[in-house]
Amino acid sequence: MAGNFWQSSHYLQWVLDKQDLMKERQKDLKFLTEEEYWKLQIFFANVIQALGEHLKLRQQVIATATVYFKRFYARYSLKSIDPVLMAPTCVFLASKVEEFGVVSNTRLISAATSVCNTTVILECEFYLLELMDCCLIVYHPYRPLLQYVQDMGQEDMLLPLAWRIVNDTYRTDLCLLYPPFMIALACLHVACVVQQKDARQWFAELSVDMDKILEIIRVILKLYDQWKNFDDRKEIAAVLNKMPKPKPPPNSESDQSSNGNQSNSYSQS
């Protein structure tokens, strides 16, 4: 039922081991608690969402931009490139890859309100492309979710809620740790419980590791539990203040005099 398409080797290159992910993150956890790092994940996912909505991008483009952002910081510290710069860069690249039509530099920079200029976006895009090793196609849970809901015959009842839950999973590490079809099944399972739809027989007939589906469900429920107590307007300024910052390059003084603070966006370490 799940199908091998969602388990292609192309995608599995970016299904990471949780221990490896946490090992890479230790550089940032010297400055931030795990809870603060999680708050940053929510904040920058919200930034990408707001930027995408402002530019009238489809949800899939926004989701792809969010995955690019997460993949970059799964391999690099927050201090390598300022996330405030990386977020609009991911939106810019995703809009091209998803064939939405290239978001013009002017529209993007205008939407990002003086955070960065065109040159910096294009330079940041180069680093992002290098990390992605040109594996730019991102498979999302949306398509398998649609297939599962249709198979279940409960599209009107379950699809809107399950779709919103999929959107919310981009505030977690799930897209880095599990294939999309598993995330889709977990979101559908949560939607069934909320809507009091008994789908135990349907799930029992799947040839899928239900232990992994339950792991994903636990992450989703934890997200909602923490999210309801998180007031980003009150809390995020202090977390951003603690976030490790890029070191300016050696020639930063001359650069800053001609380019403002642009050189602070990159770390040479």
Side-chain angles (χ1 to χ4, degrees):
M1 168 98 50
N4 292 328
F5 175 73
W6 308 108
Q7 304 177 67
S8 67
S9 58
H10 171 86
Y11 185 83
L12 288 178
Q13 177 183 344
W14 280 102
V15 175
L16 309 177
D17 178 79
K18 187 172 183 179
Q19 287 186 324
D20 291 342
L21 180 63
M22 293 307 295
K23 185 178 176 183
E24 289 293 331
R25 197 167 285 174
Q26 288 310 306
K27 297 171 190 171
D28 293 326
L29 294 180
K30 291 176 183 175
F31 302 89
L32 301 161
T33 65
E34 285 193 36
E35 184 180 355
E36 287 168 336
Y37 194 97
W38 167 80
K39 288 175 180 178
L40 282 177
Q41 284 198 84
I42 287 191
F43 174 73
F44 284 111
N46 289 346
V47 166
I48 291 170
Q49 183 74 35
L51 190 53
E53 289 176 359
H54 181 80
L55 293 166
K56 297 181 169 56
L57 303 179
R58 289 181 294 112
Q59 185 60 38
Q60 179 151 328
V61 181
I62 295 169
T64 294
T66 308
V67 172
Y68 288 170
F69 184 90
K70 288 180 171 296
R71 287 180 179 180
F72 186 86
Y73 291 108
R75 296 282 168 85
Y76 289 108
S77 164
L78 291 165
K79 70 177 180 179
S80 59
I81 293 181
D82 193 330
V84 174
L85 169 59
M86 182 55 72
T89 302
C90 291
V91 172
F92 182 61
L93 180 59
S95 73
K96 292 191 286 186
V97 171
E98 294 287 349
E99 299 179 332
F100 181 79
V102 179
V103 175
S104 74
N105 291 342
T106 308
R107 282 180 66 209
L108 182 63
I109 305 308
S110 171
T113 59
S114 77
V115 167
C116 44
N117 62 36
T118 306
T119 308
V120 178
I121 286 269
L122 294 175
E123 188 177 349
C124 190
E125 185 185 32
F126 170 79
Y127 290 113
L128 181 58
L129 285 167
E130 188 176 49
L131 169 84
M132 300 288 287
D133 195 22
C134 293
C135 292
L136 300 176
I137 303 300
V138 176
Y139 297 117
H140 294 288
Y142 301 112
R143 196 188 302 178
L145 174 65
L146 191 55
Q147 292 172 351
Y148 296 142
V149 172
Q150 288 170 345
D151 182 70
M152 196 182 276
Q154 298 288 332
E155 198 167 343
D156 291 342
M157 176 197 255
L158 297 173
L159 185 60
L161 177 57
W163 194 280
R164 288 200 300 274
I165 297 169
V166 168
N167 290 345
D168 292 341
T169 64
Y170 289 98
R171 273 78 179 162
T172 72
D173 290 326
L174 288 173
C175 63
L176 297 172
L177 300 172
Y178 298 91
F181 79 91
M182 285 189 171
I183 297 172
L185 286 170
C187 293
L188 180 55
H189 194 287
V190 174
C192 286
V193 172
V194 172
Q195 300 285 40
Q196 299 182 318
K197 158 70 179 170
D198 186 352
R200 284 175 291 183
Q201 185 61 38
W202 187 88
F203 277 97
E205 292 171 3
L206 295 175
S207 55
V208 67
D209 185 344
M210 282 306 294
D211 286 340
K212 288 192 179 298
I213 304 301
L214 292 172
E215 285 174 13
I216 297 169
I217 290 170
R218 282 194 287 270
V219 173
I220 293 170
L221 295 179
K222 184 179 178 184
L223 167 71
Y224 288 135
D225 186 52
Q226 292 179 308
W227 205 352
K228 68 185 178 186
N229 298 316
F230 174 41
D231 185 342
D232 60 346
R233 291 186 180 184
K234 290 182 179 177
E235 298 178 47
I236 199 62
V239 179
L240 288 170
N241 225 22
K242 286 181 66 178
M243 185 178 76
K245 306 294 190 295
K247 296 177 186 175
N251 59 348
S252 59
E253 288 184 16
S254 59
D255 284 350
Q256 284 175 2
S257 61
S258 58
N259 297 323
N261 292 324
Q262 172 180 327
S263 57
N264 283 328
S265 300
Y266 299 99
S267 169
Q268 299 296 302
S269 58

